[in-house]
Amino acid sequence: MMKKQFTVIALASALFLSSAGGAMAASAPKPIQVTLNGQALKFEVQPTSINSTTFVEFRSLFAALGYEIDYAAKTKTIHAVSDEHEIEMSLGADVAFVDGESVPVNGQLVAKDGRTLVGVRFIATLSGKSVNWDSSSRTVVIADKGPTAAEKAAVLDFLSRSEKVFNSATATSDDVLALVTSDSPLRDALVKSLAEEQSKSLQTKTSYHDASIEQYSSTEAVLYAVQDTAKTGGDDYFFDESTEVVFTLHPNAQGQWLLYDMEYLSTEYTADGSLIDKTVAVPDADKTAIDALLAKQLDALNKEDMAAYKATFASTDGLDDYFDEIQSGYDDYDQSFANEKTGIVYYNGSDKAVAIRSIIVEDLEDGYKTRFYEGNYLVKKDGKWLFDGSEYIFDIQTIEE
């Protein structure tokens, strides 16, 4: 009896599965999707599965992977070139040529409905990408391969070498250029910057943290890091800062990663509002003249008088973008500026000073108020104190009514 019951249950289960399978077969499968680093790729024709392999229209795939394509329609030959790879393959050929080496094609180039299609996994893998299949969403997932532990260490070594050079009091232009590729557009600017820093009575320490490799290939690495710079000695004044930097690195013939280009994303000055109280002694005549200069600039801001504003600077060379921003503020906002407090935190005894101001900015439309702590370098020219063009906003506070 037990055996008969089991047989009935088993038969019922088989019928259920058969019925369910038929229902599933009757419904259309989800379209196949292809993503690259999380972004869905678009193709002229829908990706298709042939013998359990996903094929796509070749032009869109190669373009998404960074290739320039030359296609000979008569011979159905694809010649694709990127910064890292070169691929040549022809319909009906047994092999493709990848970076000069022959690779078996194994049916990964086909013609269907007048279109030339390529196997996604085949091309993406040849391009150095990782490829996975997400069966639940029917998605081919392509992603850049991350570096190995050894490759990562080699990239991060650039930061260690940079710290060593820039923290050395005896660093030379040759030491700096040893960190830079021969074709870098930054070479001249870096040498000039080093010379300017060494001419100042100032010592700083540079350190890097929160480093991560954003992109990696055998020919280029993109490295993100936070660069902290703090004063360690010298007579000149310095606002300690923390800057987000993106470095583009290229390897030299020995495989050592060197700087090709870099971009500063943002800079924060690490002081707070208490800096305004760290005042130094200044002769009364100079203090009075500096206070008058600061008041004159705020008055120009309130009157939206650009000529008067520019007249507070020792030189306007190289400040066109800055003045454009000020003018844009005049055009877009109706604001008032009031000096709340001033502190002179640096004075070299003759012609250089640093003034800290807390400025209350009020939006005259909605009454919204903000306190800005601002630092400015000042110079004395022909007996007259003026702004030298360096401005540091290091603390912003909302004023609650």
Side-chain angles (χ1 to χ4, degrees), residues 60-73:
S60 297
L61 179 63
F62 275 109
L65 293 172
Y67 289 91
E68 292 186 1
I69 308 158
D70 182 18
Y71 180 61

Side-chain angles (χ1 to χ4, degrees), residues 121-134:
R121 182 180 294 275
F122 180 70
I123 298 302
T125 301
L126 291 180
S127 303
K129 310 296 183 182
S130 67
V131 185
N132 291 290
W133 170 251
D134 184 343

Side-chain angles (χ1 to χ4, degrees), residues 227-230 238-243 264 267-270 392:
Q227 173 183 291
D228 289 343
T229 308
F238 184 79
F239 289 90
D240 294 350
E241 62 186 35
S242 183
T243 303
Y264 293 104
T267 297
E268 291 185 1
Y269 300 100
T270 55
Y392 301 83

Side-chain angles (χ1 to χ4, degrees), residues 319-335:
L319 295 177
D320 289 345
D321 289 343
Y322 172 74
F323 292 136
D324 286 344
E325 290 181 8
I326 298 296
Q327 185 63 57
S328 178
Y330 289 162
D331 298 337
D332 296 339
Y333 303 100
D334 189 10
Q335 298 174 318

